[in-house]
Amino acid sequence: MSRERRVSPRKVCMVPLRFRIIENTNRKIGVEAGAAEERRAVKSAVALGVLDGEAINLSERGIYFRARQALRVGDPLEMFLTLPRELTGRDSEQVRCSARVVHVDHGLDQRGLIGVGAAVERFETLIATRNWGN
């Protein structure tokens, strides 16, 4: 049995999300062997636009989700989701997060979705609602 390495606890949730693969400007495209395949992969990722997925669990440092799109370890992502009241302790919040794929479970579930683990680099609240009643 492996030892749990997570610092922040995971919360189970089933929340729809949208994400896009961000072009990784740190990649040196065209330098190594296999550069044509790398160029095609980057071009296709940029061309995909916004994709749909479903968060399965999340913490302040990571998110595990399912999606139809095959992702690769290292892919930088921009993700959009609404954190439910059960997770925020207050009203639900729309957030954007920057993340990087750290593992991919290639086995498909019943709906043809793959599992993806991503390390969250930053959470950002998109819409701050103001309760004018207080």
Side-chain angles (χ1 to χ4, degrees), residues 17-63:
L17 60 83
R18 302 192 84 194
F19 69 96
R20 66 187 184 99
I21 303 166
I22 302 169
E23 182 176 353
N24 187 350
T25 56
N26 294 330
R27 284 189 195 164
K28 293 182 178 179
I29 299 171
V31 177
E32 298 99 17
E37 291 82 11
E38 185 73 12
R39 273 195 300 279
R40 278 195 296 277
V42 170
K43 284 181 185 175
S44 64
V46 172
L48 290 172
V50 178
L51 303 162
D52 293 318
E54 177 182 49
I56 304 303
N57 64 57
L58 58 92
S59 72
E60 64 186 55
R61 296 185 181 192
I63 185 167

Side-chain angles (χ1 to χ4, degrees), residues 80-97:
F80 301 89
L81 64 143
T82 300
L83 297 175
R85 178 179 302 213
E86 296 80 27
L87 296 180
T88 65
R90 48 190 183 280
D91 289 338
S92 59
E93 294 180 12
Q94 293 181 2
V95 297
R96 172 176 53 197
C97 67

